[in-house]
Amino acid sequence: MGRVLKFPKNFLWGCSTSAYQVEGGIEKSDWSKFADAGIACDHYHRYEEDFDLLKQLYQNAYRFSIEWSRIEPQEGKFNQEEIRHYQKVVLALKKRNILPFVVLYHFSLPLWFQKRGGWLDPDSEKYFKRYCQKVLEALGSEVNYWITINEPMVYVANSYLKAKWPPLKKNIFEAKKALRNLIKAHKVAYELIHASNREAKIGISKNVACFSPYANKLINRILVFLADYSWNNYFLTRIKGYQDFVGVNYYFYNRIKFCFRSLFAFRNFPENFYCNTKSGKFSDIGWRIEPEGIYCAIKNVSYFKKPIYITENGLADKEDKLRKEFIKQHLFWVHKAIEDGMDVLGYFYWSLMDNFEWEKGFEPRFGLFEINYKTLERKIRPSAFYYAKICKNNALIID
Ligand code: IFM
């Protein structure tokens, strides 16, 4: 037997999903007009079955998002039936002793809100607050862990700099405005939740990339500093004092080298900053696999001196050839971070099941369960059983 790496007592082991990507039947969101996910995985109707599988895989936590456009399909009109749906979802988790981590906003927005200007609307934070208030009234007594916003920088880059996601903008000034309003929205939601529950734990899920210099040149180190500040730390610094934990979504490791296009970084942020090496292992969608980068991401946010949860980490791997090793290596580095004194309290694999990967559609397969989109049948991938063993033993075995 190899070396046993024990994780701290009460460590959380889970998976993440988001409403638009898995639920199906969402019709009043900006995404349903832009790229309709249709029935998706029909998680909306099959959540009990999915949670049984989650339990079977020894997981004790689940991060999912509430679809704002279900709760408030028209401005100021709240749908009680949909509110009850999420109450049932939370109870279904609790019945199985699975701790819910609830995300209030994960990319998809009500159409009416987007039509008003979305995150550019000067009143956006007021609308968000009113929606949060409703969710809180319904779930506040059962939920202790809240994530106000998922990956704000990813959202703003895709929606306001690259014109890839609704509202399809390419405007740096609007991007800054949207960011400022998201910061305000987070703060009001943070205060609102704490006003009703001092014990609640609130944070955001931040996409944290690892940036390191290509050869130790000064110019590359300056770019690393700028990339770190703008991509990794800007948002977190602005909400300092308004977070009880930091949620880290880790996917990218970038070796940064100055090149001509760095001068145009703002046009395609953050990719233009760097020239990546082409060697190594890649996921089905060409993302380079660099497990050590999760250590660097954790170290980066440990600056904020708050508990850390890895709220997303995963890969697209249809044939399930790399996933087992991916999980093993990433958890090795998470464990190392803990050994080195960093306060990591949980790990959520992205994702519980294959799902709708935004502008890339259904092709990328991130799931621990494979979804047959014709029959909606769930099939547990072999790597999921490997992850389950780690969750069950609260330990990783390294040979
Ligand atoms: O699917 C996304 C998720 O919505 C946000 N984080 C990254 C995942 C993989 O791209």
Coordinates of all heavy atoms in Angstrom, one line a residue, residues 18 21 63 106-107 150-151 154 165 207 249 251-252 285 287 312 350 355-358 360 366, ligand 1:
S18 N -24.6 23.9 -11.9 CA -25.3 25.2 -11.9 C -26.6 25.0 -12.6 O -26.7 24.1 -13.5 CB -24.5 26.3 -12.6 OG -24.8 26.4 -13.9
Q21 N -27.1 24.9 -16.4 CA -26.3 23.9 -17.1 C -26.9 22.5 -16.9 O -26.7 21.6 -17.7 CB -24.9 23.9 -16.6 CG -24.2 25.2 -17.0 CD -22.7 25.2 -16.4 OE1 -22.5 25.8 -15.4 NE2 -21.8 24.7 -17.2
R63 N -22.7 21.8 -4.1 CA -22.9 23.2 -4.5 C -23.7 23.3 -5.7 O -23.4 22.7 -6.8 CB -21.5 23.8 -4.7 CG -21.5 25.3 -4.8 CD -20.4 25.9 -5.5 NE -20.5 25.8 -6.9 CZ -20.0 26.6 -7.9 NH1 -19.3 27.6 -7.5 NH2 -20.2 26.3 -9.2
H106 N -25.2 32.4 -11.0 CA -24.2 31.7 -11.8 C -24.5 31.9 -13.3 O -25.1 31.1 -13.9 CB -24.2 30.2 -11.4 CG -23.1 29.4 -12.0 ND1 -22.3 28.5 -11.2 CD2 -22.6 29.3 -13.2 CE1 -21.4 27.9 -12.0 NE2 -21.6 28.3 -13.2
F107 N -24.1 33.1 -13.8 CA -24.1 33.5 -15.2 C -25.4 33.8 -15.8 O -25.5 34.7 -16.6 CB -23.4 32.4 -16.1 CG -21.9 32.1 -15.7 CD1 -21.3 31.0 -16.1 CD2 -21.2 33.1 -15.0 CE1 -19.9 30.7 -15.8 CE2 -19.8 32.8 -14.7 CZ -19.2 31.6 -15.1
N150 N -20.9 33.5 -8.8 CA -19.9 32.5 -9.3 C -19.0 33.2 -10.4 O -19.6 33.8 -11.4 CB -20.6 31.3 -10.0 CG -19.5 30.3 -10.5 OD1 -18.8 29.7 -9.7 ND2 -19.4 30.3 -11.8
E151 N -17.7 33.2 -10.2 CA -16.8 33.6 -11.2 C -17.1 35.0 -11.9 O -17.3 35.0 -13.1 CB -16.6 32.6 -12.3 CG -16.0 31.3 -11.8 CD -15.8 30.2 -12.9 OE1 -16.3 30.4 -14.0 OE2 -15.1 29.2 -12.6
V154 N -14.8 35.9 -14.9 CA -15.1 35.1 -16.1 C -16.4 35.6 -16.8 O -16.4 35.8 -18.1 CB -15.3 33.6 -15.8 CG1 -15.8 32.7 -17.0 CG2 -14.1 33.0 -15.2
W165 N -20.7 35.8 -24.6 CA -21.9 35.5 -23.9 C -22.8 36.7 -23.8 O -22.4 37.9 -24.0 CB -21.6 35.2 -22.4 CG -20.8 33.9 -22.2 CD1 -20.4 33.0 -23.2 CD2 -20.3 33.4 -21.0 NE1 -19.7 32.0 -22.6 CE2 -19.6 32.2 -21.3 CE3 -20.3 33.8 -19.7 CZ2 -19.0 31.4 -20.3 CZ3 -19.7 33.1 -18.7 CH2 -19.1 31.9 -19.0
N207 N -12.8 32.3 -9.9 CA -11.9 31.6 -10.8 C -10.5 32.1 -10.5 O -10.2 33.3 -10.8 CB -12.3 31.8 -12.2 CG -11.4 31.1 -13.2 OD1 -10.2 31.3 -13.3 ND2 -11.9 30.1 -13.9
N249 N -12.2 28.4 -7.7 CA -12.5 27.5 -8.9 C -11.2 27.5 -9.7 O -10.7 28.5 -10.2 CB -13.6 28.1 -9.8 CG -14.9 28.1 -9.2 OD1 -15.1 27.7 -8.0 ND2 -15.9 28.5 -9.9
Y251 N -8.8 26.0 -12.7 CA -8.7 25.3 -14.0 C -7.4 25.6 -14.7 O -7.0 24.8 -15.5 CB -9.9 25.7 -14.9 CG -11.2 25.2 -14.4 CD1 -12.0 26.0 -13.7 CD2 -11.7 23.9 -14.7 CE1 -13.3 25.6 -13.2 CE2 -12.9 23.5 -14.3 CZ -13.7 24.3 -13.5 OH -14.9 23.9 -13.1
F252 N -6.9 26.8 -14.5 CA -5.8 27.3 -15.5 C -4.5 27.6 -14.8 O -4.4 28.3 -13.8 CB -6.3 28.6 -16.2 CG -7.6 28.4 -16.9 CD1 -8.8 29.0 -16.5 CD2 -7.7 27.5 -18.0 CE1 -10.0 28.8 -17.2 CE2 -8.9 27.3 -18.7 CZ -10.0 27.9 -18.2
I285 N -11.1 19.8 -24.2 CA -11.3 21.1 -24.8 C -10.0 21.9 -24.8 O -10.0 23.2 -24.9 CB -12.5 21.9 -24.2 CG1 -12.4 21.9 -22.7 CG2 -13.8 21.3 -24.6 CD1 -13.4 22.8 -22.0
W287 N -7.6 22.4 -22.5 CA -7.1 23.1 -21.3 C -6.0 22.2 -20.8 O -6.1 21.0 -20.5 CB -8.2 23.2 -20.3 CG -9.3 24.1 -20.7 CD1 -9.4 24.8 -21.9 CD2 -10.5 24.5 -19.9 NE1 -10.6 25.5 -21.9 CE2 -11.3 25.4 -20.7 CE3 -11.0 24.1 -18.7 CZ2 -12.5 25.9 -20.3 CZ3 -12.2 24.7 -18.3 CH2 -12.9 25.6 -19.1
E312 N -14.8 24.6 -7.3 CA -14.8 23.9 -8.6 C -13.4 23.5 -9.0 O -12.5 24.2 -8.8 CB -15.3 24.8 -9.7 CG -16.8 25.1 -9.8 CD -17.2 25.8 -11.0 OE1 -16.5 25.8 -12.1 OE2 -18.2 26.5 -10.9
W350 N -16.0 19.6 -10.2 CA -16.9 20.1 -11.3 C -16.8 19.1 -12.4 O -15.8 18.9 -13.0 CB -16.5 21.5 -11.8 CG -17.4 21.9 -12.9 CD1 -17.3 21.6 -14.3 CD2 -18.7 22.6 -12.8 NE1 -18.4 22.1 -15.0 CE2 -19.2 22.7 -14.1 CE3 -19.4 23.1 -11.7 CZ2 -20.4 23.3 -14.3 CZ3 -20.6 23.8 -12.0 CH2 -21.1 23.9 -13.2
N355 N -22.8 18.3 -18.6 CA -23.9 19.3 -18.7 C -23.6 20.3 -19.8 O -22.7 20.1 -20.6 CB -24.0 20.0 -17.3 CG -22.7 20.7 -16.9 OD1 -22.1 21.4 -17.7 ND2 -22.2 20.4 -15.7
F356 N -24.4 21.3 -19.8 CA -24.4 22.3 -20.9 C -23.2 23.3 -20.6 O -23.3 24.1 -19.7 CB -25.7 23.1 -20.9 CG -25.8 24.1 -22.0 CD1 -26.0 23.8 -23.3 CD2 -25.7 25.5 -21.6 CE1 -26.1 24.8 -24.3 CE2 -25.8 26.5 -22.6 CZ -26.0 26.1 -23.9
E357 N -22.2 23.2 -21.4 CA -21.0 24.0 -21.2 C -21.1 25.3 -22.0 O -20.3 25.6 -22.9 CB -19.8 23.2 -21.5 CG -18.4 23.8 -21.4 CD -18.1 24.4 -20.0 OE1 -18.7 24.0 -19.0 OE2 -17.2 25.2 -19.9
W358 N -22.1 26.1 -21.7 CA -22.3 27.5 -22.2 C -22.1 27.5 -23.7 O -22.7 26.7 -24.4 CB -21.3 28.4 -21.4 CG -21.6 28.3 -20.0 CD1 -20.7 27.8 -19.0 CD2 -22.8 28.7 -19.2 NE1 -21.3 27.8 -17.8 CE2 -22.5 28.3 -17.9 CE3 -24.0 29.2 -19.6 CZ2 -23.5 28.5 -16.9 CZ3 -25.0 29.4 -18.6 CH2 -24.7 29.1 -17.3
K360 N -20.1 26.4 -25.6 CA -19.6 25.1 -26.2 C -20.6 24.0 -26.3 O -20.4 22.9 -26.9 CB -18.4 24.6 -25.4 CG -17.2 25.6 -25.4 CD -16.0 24.9 -24.8 CE -14.8 25.9 -24.7 NZ -15.0 26.9 -23.6
F366 N -17.8 17.0 -18.5 CA -17.1 17.2 -17.2 C -17.5 16.3 -16.1 O -17.0 16.3 -15.0 CB -17.3 18.6 -16.8 CG -16.4 19.7 -17.4 CD1 -16.8 20.3 -18.6 CD2 -15.3 20.1 -16.8 CE1 -16.0 21.3 -19.2 CE2 -14.5 21.1 -17.4 CZ -14.8 21.7 -18.5
Ligands
IFM1 O1 -19.0 25.0 -16.7 C1 -18.2 26.0 -16.1 C2 -18.9 26.6 -14.9 O2 -20.2 27.1 -15.3 C3 -18.1 27.7 -14.3 N1 -16.7 27.3 -14.1 C4 -16.0 26.6 -15.1 C5 -16.9 25.4 -15.6 C6 -16.1 24.7 -16.7 O3 -15.9 25.6 -17.8

